[in-house]
Amino acid sequence: MISASMVTLVLPILIFLWAMLSVPRPSKRFWMTAIVYTEVAIVIKYFFQFGFFPFNQNLVVNKNKPYHPPNIIGIEKKEGYVLYDLLQLLTLFFHRSILKGHGLWDEDDFRGTENATHRDESEDKKCMSTERRGSAGSLKSVNLAVSLESVHVHFPEKQTPIRRKSSNGGSQISHRSNRSSNRSKRGSTSTRNSSRKGSSVISVQQKTRKELSIEKLKEQLIKAKALTIKKTLEIYIPIKQFFYSLIHPEYSAVTDVYVLMFLADTVDFIIIVFGFWAFGKHSAAADITSSLSEDQVPGPFLVMVLIQFGTMVVDRALYLKKTVMGKVIFQVILVFGIHFWMFFILPGVTERRFSQNTVAQLWYFVKCIYFGLSAYQIRCGYPTRVLGNFLTKSYNYVNLFLFQGFRLVPFLTELRAVMDWVWTETTLSLSSWICVEDIYAHIFVLKCWRESEKRYPQPRGQKKKKVVKYGMGGMIIALLICIVWFPLLFMSLIKSVAGVVNKPLDVSIKITLAGFQPIFTMSAQQTQLKDLSDSDFKAFIKRYKISDGALQFLEAYTHADVTIAELEGGSNSLWTISPPSRAKLIDDLKKEDSDFSLSISWTIQRNLSLGAKAETAFDKHVIQLDKKVKTGLIELLKSDSAPPVNISNIFPCYIRAPSDSNSKPIKQLYPDGKYHNISLKLERNVNSTNQSQEWWIVRDSENKEGLKLYVFSDQVSPPSLGFLAGYGIMGLYASVVLVIGKFVREFFSGISHSIMFEELPNVDRILKLCTDIFLVRETGELELEEDMYSKLIFLYRSPETMIKWTREKTK
C-alpha cells in the first residue's frame, strides 16, 4: 500500500496465489523466491536513484502524477525508497532462521528424496521380477544363439563401454554393445554381397558446405525447440500439479469461514458507500447522500456497488455448490483484477496515486483480509453440509436479537432464500422452500424464548414483580405517549433548543405603477442589514404592551431573530421609460372612471444550506390610487417643481420571513390595521452629454432619510434534521404516527389467531424435523426430503398432531 507499482505487485500476487494456498505451509522455493525478488527490487530501486536519469530532473512536478512511468514501475526517486523493502527482507530472513531452527527449511528436499527412494525401490522390484520371469526363456535361446554365431565369420574388436552416473548405466552399456554387434553383423553381410558383385570402385558423394550449414541450423533449431519445451514443462507441470493437488487433495481439514468472508465484503460495501468521494474524479467534497437526494446516481458509485454486490452473490453461489475449482478460478480473477484496478486504473480515475488515497487503502486492506480467508477456505475445502443460518447455532438472547435484526434488513432474507434454492439440489418448489425457511425461523425464535424461560423460571401462583411491571410497562407507556405527541414535541423543541437563525442576506424593495416599468428599486446588503440589540428589542416589546396579539407573536422571537434593513431613499436605477409609455401612463392617470393600482413588493434572500425550504421569500401589497394621488403623479411627470406625492397605507415595515417562500406582513404589529405612509418624488438631472436622467425618491413618513424594514426570521431546523422538519406537524402525523400506529395495532390485535403456533411448550421435535430436512437434502436423499416435507406440512395442518409433538417431555 506504500508504493503501489509494478515492482511491488508481484509479492502480493505470490502471497495470495502461492503461499496461502500451499499445504501444509509455503515451501522453501517460495521463501527463496521472495528473498531473491526483494533483493533484486532493492538493487533496481537503488540503481534508478541517480540524478542523471531524465525522469529524476523534475521530481516536484512528476511526484503526484499517477501515470508517470517511474511511478508506475516503482523506481521513482524519493526519501526512504527502500526502507520498507529492507524491513521486508529482514522479516524474511528472520522467518528463514525460525524455519531452520525448527528443521522445516529443508523439509521439501527430504520429502523429495524419500519420494525418489520409494520410486527407485519400486523400479528395482519390477526389474527383479522381470528378470525372474525371463530366466527360463534365456536358457532356451542359448543354443539358438550359438548356432547363429557359428554360421558367420566374426572379427573380434575391443569395445570400451562408456559409463554414466545414472542408476541404469549397466543397462545402457548392454544395449549399446548389442547395437554395435548388430551393426557388425550387418556390415559383414554387406561385405559378402559386394564381393559377390565384384565392384572394385566405391563412389562417395560429398555434401556441399551450404547443405552442411543447413543441417546444422536444423539441428540447432530442434535443440532450441526441445529446450524451450523442456523449460516450459518445468514451469507448467509444477504449477499444474500444485493446483491439481489443491483441487483434489488426499485429505482435507474441512472448515467454514464463509461468514467471515461475508463480513469482510460487507465492510468493503460500507466503505464504498460512505467513502464514495475517494473513488471518483473531482469528487473530493462529494457526498453520496446529497447526490442521491438530487436524483443523481454517480457513475463510479454505481459501478463499484454493482461489482461489490456481484462478487458477494458469486461467492455465495460457490459456497452453496461447494466447488473448490470454481473458487480457485474466482480467487485468481479477483486477485489479478483488484490489484490491476487498485494500482493502475483507480489512480487514473481519481487523478491521485494509490499511496495518497487513504480510503482506497482501507478498502484494499479489508479486501486482503478477504483474500486470506478465501485462500484458507480453498486450502481446507468446503464443508460437506450447510445446515441453516450461522446465527441459529445456539439459543440465547444474543443470537435471537441478531437473527431478528438479520430478518429486518429489506430483501436480505428473500434474496438469501432464493439463492439457496437456485444453487442447492432439491426437489422442493420455491414456495415450499420458502415455507420451510419461514417455519424454521419461527421455530428458532420460539426455541430461544423457551430456553430463556428455562434459565429464568417463573414459579406458579406468583405475581409479577413491580420491577418487571414498571420497567417494561412504564417503558411501553412512555414510548406510546412519545409516539402520539412526537410531531408537536419535535417541531417545538427543534426550534427552541436546536434551532438555527437564518438571517437575511439580501432585502430588496420594488415599487410599480400599474403594469408599467418599476419606478423604484432598492436593496440592502451586508452593512445595511443591522441586528437588533437586546435592549432595543425590549423597548420594542414595551410599545405593544397593551396589544395581546402582538405580545403573543413577539414571545416566539428573540432579538437575534430580528434584522433591520435600512434602504436608501433614492432608487438604485434610472427610470428609463420610453416617451410612448410615458404618454400612456399620463393618459391612464387622467381617467377617473378606471382603477389605477400601485404595488410594492419585497424579496428576502436567505442561506439555503442552513435548512430553509426556499432560498427566497417574497410577497407584495397592492392598493388603488385615489383621484388626489393621481393628480399629484401627473404633476410630477409634467413639471420639475411639483411637490412630493403622499401615499397612505402602502408600506408594511414589519415582515415575517418563514422557512418557506411565503413572506407576509405581520398584522399583529399593526393595531389599527394600517401600514406606513410614503412620499414619492421624481428627480431630474442633465448629464454632461445633455441627456435627461430621471429617478424616483421614496421617503417613509416615520423615516425621513429612506425606508426601514424590520424582518422577523423564523428559526430553522438543523440540516441534519431537516428531512423530518420539512414535513411539518400534519405531515409528521400522517407519515410517521399513523404508520407506527398501524404496526403497534397489529402487535396488540390478532393474537388469538396465532395462539396455536405461538404457544408451543416444546419445539425440539419440530426443530429436529427441520434440521433433518436440511441434512437429507445435503446428503442427496431427495425422495426422503419430499417425505419429510410432507410430514412437516401435515403437522401444521393437524392441531391434534401438533399438540402431541409439542408436549413437554415426561421423565
Side-chain angles (χ1 to χ4, degrees):
M1 294 191 295
I2 303 300
S3 176
S5 59
M6 296 176 64
V7 175
T8 58
L9 180 63
V10 177
L11 284 178
I13 293 178
L14 291 180
I15 290 172
F16 294 128
L17 297 182
W18 185 3
M20 288 189 173
L21 295 178
S22 299
V23 179
R25 65 185 63 86
S27 61
K28 175 183 176 181
R29 182 178 296 178
F30 167 77
W31 296 114
M32 290 303 300
T33 303
I35 291 172
V36 172
Y37 184 81
T38 305
E39 292 174 348
V40 172
I42 291 174
V43 173
I44 292 175
K45 289 183 179 180
Y46 171 75
F47 178 74
F48 286 100
Q49 295 300 307
F50 294 102
F52 55 78
F53 289 102
F55 50 78
N56 288 336
Q57 304 298 327
N58 298 323
L59 295 177
V60 179
V61 178
N62 300 324
K63 181 179 180 181
N64 297 324
K65 290 183 178 180
Y67 283 163
H68 186 53
N71 296 340
I72 296 177
I73 300 174
I75 56 174
E76 71 275 12
K77 184 178 182 181
K78 61 181 180 179
E79 296 292 335
Y81 60 97
V82 291
L83 176 61
Y84 293 98
D85 295 283
L86 291 175
L87 292 176
Q88 177 178 304
L89 187 61
L90 290 175
T91 304
L92 289 172
F93 277 115
F94 178 71
H95 188 75
R96 175 173 173 266
S97 65
I98 292 176
L99 291 177
K100 283 191 172 184
H102 289 82
L104 300 175
W105 181 253
D106 297 326
E107 184 183 14
D108 297 332
D109 298 337
F110 295 152
R111 190 181 300 134
T113 305
E114 291 177 357
N115 294 334
T117 304
H118 290 313
R119 286 196 300 268
D120 293 340
E121 292 178 354
S122 61
E123 289 177 0
D124 293 340
K125 292 179 181 179
K126 290 180 181 179
C127 293
M128 291 175 65
S129 61
T130 305
E131 290 177 357
R132 290 168 184 167
R133 287 194 302 269
S135 59
S138 61
L139 292 174
K140 295 179 181 178
S141 61
V142 170
N143 297 327
L144 179 61
V146 171
S147 62
L148 290 175
E149 288 178 355
S150 62
V151 175
H152 304 288
V153 178
H154 296 280
F155 296 94
E157 296 178 357
K158 294 183 179 180
Q159 298 179 354
T160 57
I162 301 174
R163 298 183 180 272
R164 295 187 179 179
K165 295 182 180 181
S166 60
S167 60
N168 55 355
S171 61
Q172 292 179 0
I173 293 172
S174 61
H175 293 321
R176 182 176 298 177
S177 61
N178 293 330
R179 287 196 299 269
S180 62
S181 62
N182 292 332
R183 284 197 299 268
S184 63
K185 293 176 183 180
R186 287 195 300 269
S188 60
T189 306
S190 62
T191 304
R192 288 193 297 272
N193 293 331
S194 63
S195 61
R196 293 192 187 101
K197 293 179 181 179
S199 61
S200 59
V201 179
I202 302 174
S203 62
V204 179
Q205 296 181 355
Q206 297 182 353
K207 296 181 179 179
T208 62
R209 184 178 298 176
K210 182 177 181 181
E211 291 176 350
L212 291 174
S213 61
I214 291 175
E215 289 182 358
K216 290 182 179 179
L217 181 60
K218 289 182 178 179
E219 291 178 358
Q220 295 296 329
L221 290 176
I222 292 172
K223 291 181 180 179
K225 182 179 179 181
L227 181 62
T228 303
I229 294 174
K230 179 181 178 182
K231 295 298 182 183
T232 304
L233 291 177
E234 288 179 356
I235 297 174
Y236 168 72
I237 291 177
I239 295 176
K240 178 183 177 182
Q241 184 64 30
F242 175 78
F243 284 103
Y244 181 82
S245 60
L246 188 65
I247 297 172
H248 306 284
E250 297 179 1
Y251 62 90
S252 61
V254 176
T255 187
D256 188 358
V257 293
Y258 173 75
V259 176
L260 299 178
M261 291 192 292
F262 178 77
L263 290 178
D265 277 337
T266 305
V267 172
D268 272 340
F269 190 85
I270 295 172
I271 292 174
I272 291 174
V273 173
F274 291 97
F276 154 76
W277 56 269
F279 297 95
K281 185 177 181 181
H282 305 305
S283 58
D287 185 9
I288 189 61
T289 56
S290 61
S291 300
L292 294 179
S293 63
E294 297 173 359
D295 296 333
Q296 296 179 357
V297 181
F301 169 76
L302 180 62
V303 172
M304 291 175 59
V305 167
L306 291 180
I307 291 177
Q308 181 67 34
F309 193 77
T311 56
M312 296 170 70
V313 172
V314 173
D315 211 0
R316 179 69 181 179
L318 295 174
Y319 174 72
L320 294 173
K321 298 297 290 184
K322 306 179 186 64
T323 167
V324 179
M325 179 182 292
K327 183 63 176 177
V328 172
I329 297 173
F330 188 62
Q331 175 88 343
V332 173
I333 294 174
L334 274 186
V335 168
F336 279 100
I338 287 177
H339 281 88
F340 185 76
W341 178 67
M342 295 297 291
F343 288 5
F344 304 111
I345 298 179
L346 182 65
V349 175
T350 60
E351 296 183 353
R352 292 194 307 272
R353 297 185 62 183
F354 178 74
S355 58
Q356 299 173 350
N357 197 335
T358 307
V359 178
Q361 290 179 354
L362 179 61
W363 187 90
Y364 175 72
F365 176 74
V366 178
K367 185 58 71 173
C368 288
I369 297 175
Y370 167 81
F371 285 147
L373 294 170
S374 181
Y376 180 70
Q377 182 72 79
I378 294 172
R379 191 174 60 187
C380 297
Y382 279 113
T384 56
R385 296 179 181 88
V386 180
L387 303 178
N389 197 312
F390 72 97
L391 294 174
T392 61
K393 303 303 180 184
S394 58
Y395 311 103
N396 50 45
Y397 282 121
V398 176
N399 287 66
L400 173 62
F401 295 137
L402 289 177
F403 183 73
Q404 294 285 49
F406 172 80
R407 290 174 59 84
L408 288 176
V409 178
F411 300 106
L412 184 58
T413 304
E414 295 80 3
L415 184 61
R416 176 184 177 273
V418 176
M419 287 193 300
D420 290 358
W421 179 75
V422 170
W423 288 302
T424 303
E425 300 297 334
T426 181
T427 59
L428 301 181
S429 63
L430 180 59
S431 59
S432 302
W433 181 285
I434 295 175
C435 180
V436 174
E437 292 289 332
D438 184 66
I439 292 174
Y440 179 71
H442 178 67
I443 295 300
F444 170 75
V445 173
L446 293 179
K447 176 66 176 177
C448 291
W449 287 119
R450 298 301 172 262
E451 290 295 325
S452 65
E453 292 174 358
K454 291 179 182 179
R455 293 191 186 98
Y456 311 102
Q458 176 72 21
R460 294 184 60 185
Q462 183 178 356
K463 63 180 181 180
K464 292 293 182 182
K465 297 180 181 180
K466 293 184 178 180
V467 176
V468 177
K469 296 180 66 175
Y470 287 99
M472 182 182 297
M475 290 178 59
I476 294 175
I477 292 173
L479 182 61
L480 293 177
I481 292 175
C482 290
I483 292 174
V484 172
W485 301 108
F486 168 74
L488 296 178
L489 294 173
F490 178 77
M491 296 303 295
S492 63
L493 293 177
I494 195 173
K495 293 183 178 180
S496 61
V497 177
V500 178
V501 179
N502 196 357
K503 291 183 175 296
L505 301 178
D506 181 88
V507 178
S508 301
I509 294 290
K510 182 171 65 175
I511 299 176
T512 306
L513 289 173
F516 294 92
Q517 184 180 1
I519 63 175
F520 179 82
T521 56
M522 179 55 63
S523 62
Q525 299 175 354
Q526 296 180 356
T527 58
Q528 297 173 340
L529 298 175
K530 297 183 178 180
D531 297 332
L532 191 64
S533 63
D534 190 15
S535 58
D536 293 339
F537 186 69
K538 292 180 179 179
F540 183 80
I541 293 176
K542 290 181 179 180
R543 291 167 51 185
Y544 296 94
K545 61 181 180 179
I546 59 174
S547 176
D548 295 335
L551 293 176
Q552 183 180 1
F553 174 81
L554 294 174
E555 283 181 358
Y557 295 89
T558 62
H559 67 93
D561 301 331
V562 183
T563 302
I564 302 176
E566 295 181 351
L567 302 165
E568 296 182 357
S571 177
N572 58 5
S573 61
L574 296 175
W575 193 46
T576 56
I577 190 171
S578 62
S581 297
R582 190 188 188 99
K584 182 68 169 55
L585 175 60
I586 294 174
D587 292 341
D588 291 344
L589 290 172
K590 289 181 179 180
K591 295 178 181 179
E592 297 181 356
D593 56 346
S594 63
D595 296 333
F596 194 88
S597 62
L598 184 145
S599 65
I600 179 170
S601 60
W602 54 89
T603 303
I604 302 170
Q605 183 180 0
R606 290 84 52 86
N607 188 358
L608 186 61
S609 62
L610 291 180
K613 297 179 182 179
E615 185 177 4
T616 58
F618 52 88
D619 202 354
K620 64 180 180 180
H621 176 60
V622 182
I623 63 171
Q624 300 296 328
L625 301 181
D626 54 9
K627 183 178 179 181
K628 181 179 179 181
V629 175
K630 290 181 181 180
T631 304
L633 290 175
I634 293 173
E635 293 179 357
L636 286 175
L637 294 174
K638 291 182 178 180
S639 175
D640 296 341
S641 59
V645 177
N646 294 322
I647 303 176
S648 59
N649 193 21
I650 183 61
F651 177 58
C653 60
Y654 304 122
I655 302 295
R656 182 190 173 193
S659 60
D660 56 8
S661 61
N662 192 9
S663 178
K664 294 291 185 180
I666 306 173
K667 296 182 179 181
Q668 293 89 337
L669 301 182
Y670 301 99
D672 52 357
K674 295 183 179 180
Y675 300 146
H676 286 191
N677 304 329
I678 61 173
S679 62
L680 297 177
K681 183 174 177 59
L682 182 62
E683 293 287 341
R684 294 180 177 87
N685 188 15
V686 179
N687 58 10
S688 59
T689 59
N690 294 325
Q691 292 180 352
S692 178
Q693 296 178 341
E694 295 178 333
W695 68 94
W696 291 83
I697 296 177
V698 180
R699 294 284 188 270
D700 189 359
S701 59
E702 297 184 3
N703 185 18
K704 302 301 181 182
E705 297 181 357
L707 300 176
K708 186 177 290 188
L709 189 66
Y710 291 80
V711 180
F712 289 77
S713 301
D714 288 355
Q715 291 187 355
V716 296
S717 60
S720 58
L721 299 175
F723 69 98
L724 282 177
Y727 290 102
I729 296 177
M730 298 305 298
L732 286 177
Y733 267 110
S735 60
V736 178
V737 176
L738 295 181
V739 174
I740 296 176
K742 182 179 179 181
F743 284 102
V744 173
R745 180 59 57 85
E746 291 180 355
F747 179 77
F748 281 91
S749 62
I751 300 177
S752 59
H753 303 289
S754 61
I755 290 177
M756 176 182 172
F757 307 105
E758 295 290 343
E759 300 298 329
L760 302 178
N762 186 5
V763 295
D764 292 344
R765 295 186 181 91
I766 305 177
L767 187 63
K768 187 177 183 302
L769 179 59
C770 294
T771 55
D772 288 343
I773 293 176
F774 301 153
L775 183 61
V776 298
R777 179 190 300 154
E778 293 293 331
T779 55
E781 301 290 340
L782 300 183
E783 294 182 0
L784 188 57
E785 179 193 14
E786 286 186 357
D787 296 338
M788 299 182 73
Y789 172 72
S790 301
K791 185 177 182 179
L792 181 63
I793 297 301
F794 175 76
L795 180 64
Y796 270 79
R797 291 180 58 201
S798 174
E800 296 180 357
T801 310
M802 179 68 77
I803 292 173
K804 293 179 181 180
W805 270 58
T806 56
R807 285 175 180 173
E808 287 287 352
K809 296 180 180 180
T810 58
K811 297 182 181 180

